[in-house]
């Protein structure tokens, strides 16, 4: 280990060259973002975190790793399977991932999101009819509300309405008792996620040996979440069949993916040369696996980001005032009983608030990649094949050479600069990843966050 090709890279901890114990301990305690930020500030753009793992923080190196032929670890990919079935995120093979992505991307394209009549209906229902009444009632009653649960509920209702339709999606904003049970299951699943992710073989052995008590607790919570999603899939399937008979296809992601997978299956059955390898054996379960992954991703990212945005606005009334002023002045004739996301697309200060929140409060790590057979060069160091490489948006977004006073929440950094400087900063934003595995729903996510701030006008 001491004569490893990685030995020239600065160690994040004195034990990094001989044991993975330090970085595993840091991850278990949820300290990876802050600790590795300090390590990179002291040691430079690349640090060694364990005998066969490195962390990088130069945007050029990040794009090399996450836009190149660096595969996911198979065991890590498997941990994101749902119902025991692959989805786009858990596909470690790049070809299968690309084929599945081609089936889905159009449903989340910027044009589709902004032009979709369904999106306008979702915004009207979720913002005007569900979210605003609750906030107004809290103000009237002079009662506090749990901003985290409210934000996560809004995000979940928003994504499931787009996935399945408003009628078949969740209603956690209104159903407070169901909300509590649902988030408790999510917290249990997240709490126990560390062990199978970092020690997959050990956890598998303990489960077979009947020592997996904690695993059974997590599995029970996960089973309830899977059942919740499957119920929405079943309702959407029934809606799809009714619409098929009436020749009117529902405009939601479930129906879009169902059509794509069905066409791919027909090509496979006909032995056509263009047949895809991303066709599952069970169509309904495969769609459910994909839909649950699309539910989990925003729940664990966008919900948290939205909560932090509310927190920042509550701490800085001047920013809240500027945002409200822009919304009121730019949309003076807007019908207050309706909301069209296209109207919010060109509001510079609103977009700056969203971008600054994504910069400062995106705590999700980039999934590790494995260097290819011929190795690579990162930050001037030769990296051998089979090395685990990872990056953190939290660290990238606190680069003081790019973002002056990086720890400050300052939306004006995006509005009070020329276009060249703005492009330079945007190039260093990694909130949605990069490359072929970049978050497919980035336009949907930013549109959802923009529409949620409509309540400030009120």
């Amino acid at each position: 280990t001491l004569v490893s090709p990685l030995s020239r890279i600065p160690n994040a901890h004195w034990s990094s060259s001989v044991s993975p114990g330090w970085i595993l301990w840091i991850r278990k305690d949820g300290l990876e973002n802050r600790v590795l930020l300090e390590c990179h500030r002291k040691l430079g753009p690349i640090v060694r975190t364990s005998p066969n793992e490195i962390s990088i923080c130069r945007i050029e190196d990040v794009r090399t790793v996450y836009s190149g032929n660096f595969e996911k670890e198979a065991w890590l990919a498997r941990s994101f399977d749902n119902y025991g079935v692959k989805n786009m995120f858990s596909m470690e093979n790049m070809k299968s991932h690309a084929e599945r992505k081609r089936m889905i991307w159009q449903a989340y394209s910027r044009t589709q999101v902004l032009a979709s009549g369904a999106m306008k209906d979702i915004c009207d229902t979720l913002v005007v009819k569900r979210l605003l009444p609750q906030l107004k009632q809290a103000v009237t009653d002079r009662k506090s509300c749990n901003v985290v649960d409210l934000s996560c509920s809004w995000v979940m209702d928003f994504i499931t309405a787009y996935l399945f339709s408003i009628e078949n999606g969740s209603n956690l904003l209104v159903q407070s008792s169901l909300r509590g049970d649902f988030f408790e299951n999510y917290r249990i699943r997240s709490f126990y996620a560390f062990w199978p992710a970092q020690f997959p073989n050990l956890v598998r052995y303990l489960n077979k040996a009947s020592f997996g008590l904690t695993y059974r607790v997590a599995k029970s919570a996960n089973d309830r979440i899977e059942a919740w999603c499957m119920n929405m899939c079943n309702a959407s399937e029934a809606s799809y069949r009714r619409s098929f008979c009436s020749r009117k296809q529902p405009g939601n992601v479930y129906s879009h993916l169902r059509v794509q997978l069905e066409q791919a299956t027909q090509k496979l059955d006909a032995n056509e040369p263009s047949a895809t390898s991303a066709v599952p054996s069970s169509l309904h379960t495969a769609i459910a696996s994909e839909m649950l992954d699309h539910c989990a991703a925003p729940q664990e990212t966008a919900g948290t980001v939205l909560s932090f945005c509310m927190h920042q606005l509550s701490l800085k009334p001047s920013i809240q005032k500027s945002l409200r002023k822009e919304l009121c002045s730019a949309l003076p004739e807007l019908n207050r009983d309706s909301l069209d996301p296209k109207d919010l697309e060109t509001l510079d200060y609103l977009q700056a608030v969203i971008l600054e929140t994504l910069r400062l409060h995106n705590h999700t790590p980039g999934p590790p990649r494995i260097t290819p057979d011929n190795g690579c060069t990162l930050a001037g160091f030769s990296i051998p094949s089979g090395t685990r490489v990872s990056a953190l948006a939290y660290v990238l977004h606190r680069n003081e050479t790019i973002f002056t006073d990086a720890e400050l929440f300052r939306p004006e950094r995006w509005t009070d600069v020329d276009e060249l400087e703005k492009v330079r900063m945007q190039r260093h934003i990694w909130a949605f990843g990069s490359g072929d595995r970049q978050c497919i729903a980035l336009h949907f996510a930013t549109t959802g966050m923009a529409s949620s701030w409509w309540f400030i006008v009120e």
Side-chain angles (χ1 to χ4, degrees), residues 382-425:
S382 178
I383 311 300
S385 64
T387 303
R388 198 176 195 240
V389 186
S390 61
L392 298 169
Y394 186 94
V395 176
L396 287 164
H397 294 170
R398 283 165 172 75
N399 185 339
E400 289 283 350
T401 63
I402 305 299
F403 306 104
T404 306
D405 297 324
E407 293 286 357
L408 295 181
F409 182 83
R410 189 161 56 83
E412 289 76 16
R413 77 172 73 244
W414 301 99
T415 58
D416 296 349
V417 293
D418 58 36
E419 192 62 27
L420 191 63
E421 178 62 16
K422 185 176 179 179
V423 170
R424 177 172 172 264
M425 289 192 295

Side-chain angles (χ1 to χ4, degrees), residues 278-322:
V279 176
S281 56
S282 172
L283 190 66
H284 190 58
T285 306
I287 299 173
S289 177
E290 201 70 60
M291 295 300 98
L292 181 52
D293 180 64
H294 293 207
C295 288
Q299 163 62 29
E300 297 167 1
T301 54
T304 303
V305 169
L306 195 57
S307 300
F308 274 112
C309 193
M310 288 188 180
H311 176 66
Q312 290 288 1
L313 290 176
S314 69
L315 294 176
K316 300 174 177 64
S318 61
I319 296 178
Q320 188 176 151
K321 183 178 179 180
S322 297

